[in-house]
Amino acid sequence: MSRTRSNTKIILQENGAYDRPTFERLSADANIYPGLLLALTSAGKVDGAGDAHDGPWIVALENKYVAGNLSAGAALSTAYASGVSVEHKYLIPGDLVQLVAAASQNLAVGDEVEVDTGGYVVELSAGTRVGVVEVATTTGAGATAAVTVRIG
C-alpha cells in the first residue's frame, strides 16, 4: 500500500501548557505505521485499533529506528517491525495530529472521523468520533495518506 506524507511530525500541536510523556510498548505485529491509532492488547503490546475501539486515543509516533535511512520521510512512512518498541502518546481533546486516512477516502475540512480496522481513520458513520479534519485529504484505491485532525 503506498503512503504519502506532507509533514515530518505526527503531533503538530499539543493542547496544554506542558509536554505529555511519550511511552513505549512492544509492537504486536509489523503493520504499525506512525500516525495510526493504537490499542493495547491483552499481552501488553500495541496494535492498530479496530473499528469497535472507542478510546483512549493513542497514536504511534515517528519511527526513530529506521535502519540505514535517516531521511525525515522514512521516519513517517516505515512500519515498526514486529516486537520492537513503538513510541506513542495518549491524545486529549484539542491536540492537532497527523493521522493516517484509510484507502478510498475523500475527507473534507470539517468532516468528523472515526477509527477503522488497523488504526486508520475514515469518515464518521456509526463509530465513535475521534476528531475533526482540519486539512482536506483524498486517498485513492489501495493508497493511504496523512490527514490533519483536531482531536475531540
Side-chain angles (χ1 to χ4, degrees):
M1 187 177 306
S2 67
R3 299 170 45 76
T4 59
R5 286 286 184 177
S6 60
N7 203 309
T8 59
K9 297 190 69 65
I10 298 299
I11 306 278
L12 301 177
Q13 182 182 52
E14 285 189 83
N15 180 19
Y18 63 94
D19 187 29
R20 291 188 305 281
T22 298
F23 298 95
E24 288 190 18
R25 286 191 183 259
L26 297 179
S27 61
D29 56 43
N31 294 318
I32 297 174
Y33 286 92
L36 288 183
L37 291 172
L38 305 175
L40 299 177
T41 69
S42 59
K45 297 181 178 183
V46 290
D47 202 358
D51 56 4
H53 188 69
D54 59 1
W57 304 122
I58 307 168
V59 68
L61 298 177
E62 300 83 5
N63 187 345
K64 297 178 181 176
Y65 307 111
V66 181
N69 188 349
L70 301 178
S71 69
L76 293 171
S77 61
T78 304
Y80 285 90
S82 181
V84 301
S85 291
V86 176
E87 287 193 346
H88 58 279
K89 280 195 175 190
Y90 286 80
L91 301 173
I92 62 172
D95 286 345
L96 185 66
V97 296
Q98 277 201 87
L99 300 178
V100 184
S104 302
Q105 296 297 305
N106 186 12
L107 301 172
V109 173
D111 283 352
E112 296 176 319
V113 293
E114 66 185 1
V115 67
D116 194 26
T117 304
Y120 297 90
V121 293
V122 296
E123 189 169 3
L124 182 67
S125 62
T128 301
R129 175 180 144 146
V130 172
V132 176
V133 173
E134 290 211 352
V135 177
T137 299
T138 299
T139 60
T144 62
V147 59
T148 304
V149 174
R150 180 77 62 184
I151 301 299

